[in-house]
C-alpha cells in the first residue's frame, strides 16, 4: 500500500532551482535512504514532505490517519525542562488518563455512597481503561528507561537540564523522543551524527524491526547498507530511485551513467555519420541523390534525441602535504589518566592508557560516548594536562587539528576573510583558486561563516588544515558533516598523506578504509587492534567469546580448572583452548551450555506469563472496582485501589527484568 507519494514537486529560491519535477512513491514498510551532495536539496525535500516548507508546484499525498514524526538536524526543546520531564511529556496523555481515572474512582466512591446514579461515570471509567491499555499505560515507564539507556542516558542524566546537554546529547535525546512516539511515517535527518558505534548498532537493529515506514537522510554508507531497502538520490535538481542499499546503489548508478553516456555518444556518432552522408549526396548535385539527402534529413528531424547526461557535481580537490618530516617516534605515552571534578563528584574518564605511535601510522580511536576520546586528543597535542602518566612528543612533530565543533572558525568572518586571516601570504587570486577547489566559488566566498551549513564549515576547516603543512593530523569526527563524494575525496587524501594520522571516528565505512590500527578507549585503558573495523570487530568478538568460554569453564570445572587454562596460554591461544579438550569433555560443556540456554528460555517464558497474569489481574481489579457493591464501600474501594497499584508496580519491575534478559 502506498503511504506517501509525490508528483512533479518543484522548489526554487528566486532564480536558484532546488528541486524540479520530483516524483516518487513510498510503500508502507519501506526504508528509504536519501543521498546527495551537500546543498543538493535533501533537507529541503524532507521539510516539504513534512509540511514544514511550502513548495512551488506539484502534489504530495500521505495516506489518511498516518502519524508523522520528524528528526531535524537541530532539535527544539524547552531548555528549562529536565531530560526526564522532556521525555515524559510525550506520555502526558497517559498521565492525564491516570489522573482522570483516579479522580473518577474517588467520585464514583463518593456518589455511590450517597445513593446517586453513577452509570455515566462507570461508562467513562471503562472507556478510559481501554484507552489506557491501548496507549501502553502499564509499561510505558519501562519503555522510556529502555530507550534512554540505549541512547547512553543513564539515571545521572534524568534530572539534568536540557540547557546543560551538549549538541550531541540533544541529538540523541531528540532521536529517543521520536522513537518513543512511534509514528507511522518516520522522517530522520542525519540520525547517526553524534552516536557511538554501540548506539549505532542498536539503532540499526531497532530500525530493522520498526513496524512503520522510514525515510532518512544519511551520509553514513555503512548505516545505509544495514538499514534501507531503497535509495533516493537527489542530483542536479532531480530525484533518481534505486532498489537496495548504498553499495548496490553506487554500482547501479555507475552502470546507469555509463549506459546513458554510451547511448548519447552512439547517437551523436550516428547523427554525424548521417550528416556526412547527406553532405556528400548534396555535393554530387544529381536529382536522385538530392532526394535521398532530403529523405535522410527528414528522418533526422523526426529522431528522438537522447539527452546528454548532466555533468557530475564538482568534487573537493584536497591534498595534504607536510612541510617536513617528523621523527620516527611521534608519540609515546604510559599510564595516562584523566578525570573531572573532585571527591564524590569526580568523574573518571580513563586511566592506564599506553601509546606508541610511529611516523606514517593511521590510528583510529573508537569508544563509547563520554569515555574521553576528544579529551585524549587534546592531551596528546599538549592542549590539556593529564592527571597522571607520562607523555613524550617526538622530534619535529607539528600537529594540525580538525575540531568537530569547528570552534577554530570565526562566525563573524566571511569565508574569504577567514582564510586570509590565517594565511596572509597567499594573493587574493591564489586564495580564490584554493577556495574553488573546496567548492567555494563565485559569491559564496563572501558568505558569513556563521551562515554556512555543517558540510560547508567542514570543508572550510579541512582547507585550513590542508594549508597548515602539519606532519601529524589530529582529526575529531572529520566525516560527520561531509557528503559522500567529499568523504571519498577526503579518504583518498588521507591514504596519500605521508605523515601520521590520529583520528576519532564512528564512521564504520571510514574505519574499514583508513586505519592501520584501531585503538579502543575504555575507562580501564586502551586496547590495540591491528587492521580495519571489520578485523577489529572480529577480534573483539573472539576475545569476548574467549572470556565467556573461560567463565563457563570456571563454573563447570571450578576455579582451579580456569586457572590451569589461563596458565596454559594467553591471547589467541586461550581462544582456541576448546580445541584441546577431549570429545567427552566437549560434549559435557556443550550440554551445560544447552542447559543454560534452556534455563534462560524458561525464565523468559515465566516472566512473560507473569506479565500476562499481572495485566489480567489489573484488568480484573479495575472491573471489580466498577461494581456497585465495591465502589459504594469506600474502604473496600481503597483496598482494591491499593491492590491495583501494587500490581502495577510489580508489572513495571517484571518488565524491567524481562528487558534485562533480552539484553544479555
Amino acid at each position: 500500500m502506498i503511504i506517501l507519494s509525490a508528483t512533479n514537486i518543484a522548489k526554487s529560491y528566486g532564480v536558484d532551482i532546488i528541486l524540479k519535477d520530483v516524483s516518487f512513491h513510498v510503500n508502507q514498510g519501506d526504508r528509504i535512504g536519501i543521498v546527495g551532495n551537500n546543498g543538493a536539496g535533501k533537507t529541503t525535500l524532507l521539510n516539504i514532505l513534512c509540511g514544514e516548507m511550502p513548495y512551488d508546484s506539484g502534489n504530495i499525498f500521505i495516506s489518511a490517519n498516518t502519524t508523522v514524526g520528524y528528526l531535524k538536524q537541530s532539535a527544539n526543546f524547552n531548555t528549562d525542562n529536565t531530560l526526564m520531564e522532556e521525555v515524559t511529556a510525550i506520555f502526558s496523555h497517559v498521565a492525564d488518563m491516570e489522573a482522570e481515572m483516579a479522580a473518577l474512582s474517588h467520585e464514583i466512591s463518593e456518589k455511590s455512597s450517597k445513593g446517586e446514579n453513577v452509570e455515566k461515570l462507570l461508562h467513562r471509567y471503562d472507556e478510559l481503561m481501554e484507552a489506557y491499555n491501548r496507549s501502553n499505560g502499564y509499561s510505558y515507564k519501562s519503555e522510556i528507561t529502555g530507550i534512554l539507556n540505549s541512547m547512553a542516558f543513564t539515571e545521572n542524566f534524568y534530572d539534568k537540564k536540557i540547557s546543560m546537554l551538549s549538541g550531541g546529547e540533544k541529538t540523541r535525546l531528540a532521536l529517543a523522543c521520536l522513537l518513543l512516539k512511534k509514528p507511522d511515517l518516520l522522517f530522520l535527518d542525519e540520525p547517526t551524527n553524534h552516536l557511538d558505534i554501540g548506539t549505532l548498532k542498536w539503532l540499526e537493529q531497532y530500525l530493522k524491526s520498526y513496524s512503520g515506514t522510514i525515510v532518512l537522510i544519511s551520509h553514513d554508507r555503512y548505516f545505509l547498507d544495514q538499514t534501507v531497502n531503497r535509495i533516493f538520490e537527489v542530483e542536479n535538481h532531480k530525484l533518481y530511485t534505486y532498489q537496495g542499499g548504498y553499495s548496490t546503489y553506487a554500482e547501479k548508478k555507475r552502470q546507469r551513467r555509463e549506459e546513458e553516456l554510451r547511448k548519447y555518444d552512439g547517437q551523436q556518432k550516428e547523427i554525424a555519420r548521417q550528416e556526412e552522408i547527406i553532405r556528400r549526396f548534396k555535393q554530387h548535385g544529381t536529382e536522385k541523390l538530392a532526394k535521398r539527402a532530403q529523405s535522410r534529413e527528414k528522418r533526422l528531424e523526426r529522431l528522438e534525441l537522447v539527452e546528454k547526461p548532466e555533468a557530475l557535481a564538482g568534487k573537493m580537490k584536497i591534498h595534504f602535504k607536510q612541510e617536513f618530516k617528523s621523527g620516527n617516534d611521534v608519540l609515546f605515552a604510559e599510564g595516562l589518566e584523566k578525570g573531572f571534578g573532585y571527591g564524590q563528584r569526580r568523574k573518571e574518564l580513563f586511566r592506564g592508557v599506553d601509546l606508541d605511535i610511529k611516523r606514517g601510522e593511521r590510528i583510529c580511536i573508537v569508544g563509547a560516548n563520554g569515555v574521553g576520546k576528544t579529551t585524549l586528543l587534546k592531551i596528546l597535542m599538549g592542549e590539556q594536562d593529564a592527571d597522571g602518566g607520562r607523555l613524550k612528543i617526538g622530534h619535529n612533530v607539528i600537529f594540525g587539528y580538525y575540531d568537530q565543533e569547528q570552534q577554530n572558525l570565526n562566525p563573524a568572518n566571511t569565508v574569504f576573510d577567514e582564510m586570509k586571516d590565517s594565511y596572509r601570504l597567499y594573493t587574493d587570486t591564489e586564495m580564490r583558486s584554493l577556495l574553488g577547489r573546496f567548492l567555494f566559488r563565485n559569491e559564496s566566498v563572501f558568505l558569513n561563516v556563521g551562515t554556512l551549513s555543517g558540510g560547508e564549515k567542514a570543508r572550510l576547516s579541512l582547507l585550513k588544515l590542508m594549508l597548515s603543512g602539519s606532519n601529524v593530523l589530529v582529526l575529531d569526527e572529520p566525516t560527520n558533516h561531509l557528503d559522500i563524494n567529499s568523504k571519498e575525496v577526503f579518504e583518498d587524501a588521507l591514504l596519500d598523506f605521508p605523515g601520521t594520522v590520529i583520528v576519532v571516528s564512528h564512521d564504520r565505512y571510514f574505519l574499514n578504509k583508513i586505519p592501520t590500527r584501531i585503538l579502543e578507549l575504555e575507562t580501564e585503558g586502551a586496547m590495540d587492534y591491528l587492521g580495519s573495523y571489520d578485523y577489529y570487530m572480529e577480534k573483539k568478538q573472539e576475545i569476548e567469546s574467549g572470556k565467556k568460554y573461560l567463565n563457563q569453564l570456571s563454573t563447570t570445572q571450578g576455579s582451579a580448572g580456569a586457572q590451569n587454562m589461563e596458565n596454559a596460554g594467553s591471547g589467541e591461544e586461550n581462544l582456541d583452548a576448546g580445541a584441546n579438550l577431549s570429545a567427552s569433555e566437549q560434549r559435557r560443556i556443550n550440554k551445560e551450555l544447552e542447559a543454560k540456554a534452556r534455563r534462560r528460555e524458561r525464565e523468559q517464558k515465566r516472566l512473560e506469563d507473569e506479565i500476562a497474569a499481572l495485566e489480567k489481574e489489573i484488568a480484573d481489579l479495575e472491573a471489580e472496582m466498577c461494581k456497585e457493591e465495591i465502589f459504594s464501600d469506600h474502604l473496600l474501594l481503597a483496598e482494591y485501589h491499593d491492590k491495583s497499584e501494587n500490581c502495577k508496580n510489580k508489572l513495571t519491575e517484571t518488565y524491567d527484568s524481562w528487558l534485562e534478559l533480552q539484553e544479555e
Side-chain angles (χ1 to χ4, degrees), residues 7-19:
T7 308
N8 298 326
I9 298 298
K11 177 67 179 178
S12 301
Y13 292 110
V15 296
D16 293 330
I17 298 173
I18 307 300
L19 301 171

Side-chain angles (χ1 to χ4, degrees), residues 395-412:
H395 179 64
N396 276 347
V397 168
I398 303 296
F399 293 109
Y401 182 48
Y402 176 93
D403 177 11
Q404 65 168 316
E405 303 293 337
Q406 278 111 28
Q407 292 180 358
N408 63 330
L409 301 178
N410 183 349

